Amino acid sequence: MEDKDLDTLFQEAFDNAQLVPQESVPQDVQLVLYGLYKQATSGTSNIHVQNPQDLINAFKLNAWIQVKHLTIAEAKQRYIDIINQLLRERNL
């Protein structure tokens, strides 16, 4: 059996995230997932403030900044781990 590469596992986790009802995931976990996804797909070089007066965007930006120390590979792996945990917890 061939092991899947990290990019494939990440894409599968992203696709599977759609199966998890959003209202069943605490907002702090949603923000962590957002930050990990942004870090995994964009890296830290693209972090910029769009509208600092917008509270939602401020929380999103903060979530991304909190994980900016992670490499893209580390962010992908953490995202995968959290999604897989949510799927297991919800028997999906």
Side-chain angles (χ1 to χ4, degrees), residues 4-5 7 10 20 25 28 31 41 44 47 59 62-63 65 74 83 86:
K4 296 180 182 179
D5 69 359
D7 290 331
F10 179 74
V20 179
V25 181
D28 61 326
L31 284 169
T41 58
T44 57
I47 292 179
F59 276 109
N62 184 54
I65 290 171
E74 290 169 331
I83 293 299
L86 291 170

Side-chain angles (χ1 to χ4, degrees), residues 7 39 46 51:
D7 290 331
Q39 183 67 12
N46 292 326
N51 183 357

Side-chain angles (χ1 to χ4, degrees), residues 4-92:
K4 296 180 182 179
D5 69 359
L6 185 62
D7 290 331
T8 301
L9 292 171
F10 179 74
Q11 185 59 50
E12 287 176 359
F14 178 74
D15 293 342
N16 288 336
Q18 312 312 309
L19 302 173
V20 179
Q22 185 176 358
E23 64 275 1
S24 75
V25 181
Q27 288 184 340
D28 61 326
V29 176
Q30 290 180 35
L31 284 169
V32 169
L33 287 168
Y34 174 84
L36 290 171
Y37 179 83
K38 291 298 284 185
Q39 183 67 12
T41 58
S42 300
T44 57
S45 63
N46 292 326
I47 292 179
H48 63 281
V49 177
Q50 293 174 347
N51 183 357
Q53 272 71 38
D54 181 358
L55 189 58
I56 293 172
N57 282 333
F59 276 109
K60 287 180 173 182
L61 180 62
N62 184 54
W64 189 2
I65 290 171
Q66 294 296 316
V67 296
K68 73 178 185 174
H69 66 283
L70 298 176
T71 65
I72 288 174
E74 290 169 331
K76 286 181 179 182
Q77 188 60 57
R78 288 190 187 188
Y79 183 92
I80 292 165
D81 293 343
I82 292 171
I83 293 299
N84 288 339
Q85 178 184 352
L86 291 170
L87 291 169
R88 279 191 307 274
E89 289 172 353
R90 287 150 183 80
N91 295 317
L92 299 172

